[in-house]
Amino acid sequence: MRVLLTNDDGIHAPGLVALEKIAHAISDDVWVCAPEYEQSGASRALTLADPIRVRRVGHRKFSTTGTPTDCVMLGIHELVDGKRPDLVLSGVNRGANLAEDVTMSGTVAGAIEAMALGVPGVALSQMGGYSHEDDFFEPSEVFAPGIIRRLVEVGWPGDVVININFPNLPIDEIDQVEVTRQGFRDAHIRHAEKRTDLRGREYYWMGFRHERSKPAEGTDLRALYEGRISVTPLHIDLTHQPAVHDLKKVLGGVPPKA
């Protein structure tokens, strides 16, 4: 099985080292194409107004000045020699990608771009992004290979990506995997902090508040909060079907006049 790796934390991120360990546990044909610099929050951004530079970092390993989406596209179409990858793994992100955050995540976007190009994509994230302990990614490294093998064995629809999140707990305290649905927080955790630089000019630093919501059973949030590994099949179709049904009753045919 040929596996292509990417991430949004950059080519030098510890999470990419963890992802390489995971990939080599399931395959001996592993390629890497990741951003030169951190691209967290890039979502599915494409680099259209600037050239993308590619740097060979090592054997079967490249970095680019582009986004995770750029990296997957270049990896599949240009950089991987011979046959196309059979699987794209994106991560391991430092910090969970849950609930509405998946729409902004560069990690999830890497898996979505793979899906869009006809290659199964899996996004992997490790909860607890501000820890710098040496064993921070151990839950991902220990449990991801078996989960990915099982997923590949059974397969999943071609228009779906798999989003896996690992709890930030000691290995012996993680004993459950749950297939979940995407949750939504009941609190707004994103905020902008106003600061002043050394020249007296104001600027803003975007960030997240560490506040937990009260998620429903069966959601990705609930699983992580309760120490379970969350596996969420995500669909790119954002259409809200009940609203389509309701709007068809009031719109359609000749457009209403102002």
Side-chain angles (χ1 to χ4, degrees):
M1 179 170 61
R2 173 163 286 189
V3 184
L4 173 64
L5 312 183
T6 194
N7 72 354
D8 71 356
D9 288 333
I11 192 70
H12 302 295
L16 186 58
V17 176
L19 189 62
E20 290 184 80
K21 294 178 183 177
I22 292 165
H24 282 292
I26 62 176
S27 174
D28 57 2
D29 190 359
V30 177
W31 296 70
V32 178
C33 186
E36 185 71 36
Y37 310 106
E38 183 174 350
Q39 297 278 353
S40 295
S43 188
R44 294 199 68 203
L46 280 171
T47 302
L48 299 176
D50 296 293
I52 300 174
R53 309 293 182 184
V54 177
R55 181 170 66 94
R56 183 182 289 272
V57 179
H59 181 56
R60 299 180 178 176
K61 189 170 186 177
F62 303 87
S63 69
T64 85
T65 56
T67 66
T69 297
D70 296 327
C71 289
V72 173
M73 183 176 67
L74 288 172
I76 290 175
H77 286 318
E78 300 289 337
L79 301 177
V80 175
D81 292 334
K83 75 182 187 76
R84 286 158 58 93
D86 302 298
L87 178 68
V88 171
L89 302 179
S90 184
V92 176
N93 192 70
R94 182 178 285 276
N97 278 302
L98 301 165
E100 63 272 22
D101 295 346
V102 301
T103 62
M104 297 181 292
S105 167
T107 302
V108 175
I112 291 175
E113 180 65 10
M115 177 271 291
L117 298 176
V119 179
V122 179
L124 302 96
S125 302
Q126 177 65 61
M127 190 180 189
Y130 294 98
S131 171
H132 294 281
E133 298 176 2
D134 292 340
D135 61 351
F136 174 75
F137 289 101
E138 188 178 13
S140 304
E141 293 174 9
V142 169
F143 294 110
I147 293 173
I148 294 169
R149 281 196 199 97
R150 183 59 179 150
L151 287 168
V152 170
E153 286 172 4
V154 300
W156 61 89
D159 57 352
V160 166
V161 299
I162 302 296
N163 185 36
I164 308 177
N165 283 273
F166 298 89
N168 183 24
L169 290 172
I171 297 303
D172 57 3
E173 294 182 21
I174 302 173
D175 58 6
Q176 295 289 320
V177 178
E178 182 180 355
V179 177
T180 61
R181 68 182 186 276
Q182 180 186 353
F184 289 91
R185 294 182 177 86
D186 54 16
H188 297 289
I189 63 171
R190 294 186 300 278
H191 71 110
E193 184 174 292
K194 189 175 182 179
R195 299 182 180 182
T196 305
D197 67 19
L198 296 180
R199 295 186 177 184
R201 297 175 299 190
E202 295 177 344
Y203 67 98
Y204 293 88
W205 196 276
M206 306 298 288
F208 297 85
R209 296 186 182 91
H210 297 289
E211 298 177 11
R212 289 194 171 189
S213 60
K214 299 174 182 177
E217 291 280 356
T219 60
D220 49 8
L221 287 164
R222 184 68 170 265
L224 263 289
Y225 289 174
E226 296 180 353
R228 296 185 293 276
I229 300 168
S230 170
V231 178
T232 312
L234 297 176
H235 197 283
I236 198 171
D237 182 1
L238 302 180
T239 308
H240 186 258
Q241 291 298 337
V244 170
H245 177 75
D246 292 340
L247 287 172
K248 280 181 177 291
K249 300 174 184 177
V250 296
L251 283 175
V254 178
K257 295 181 180 180

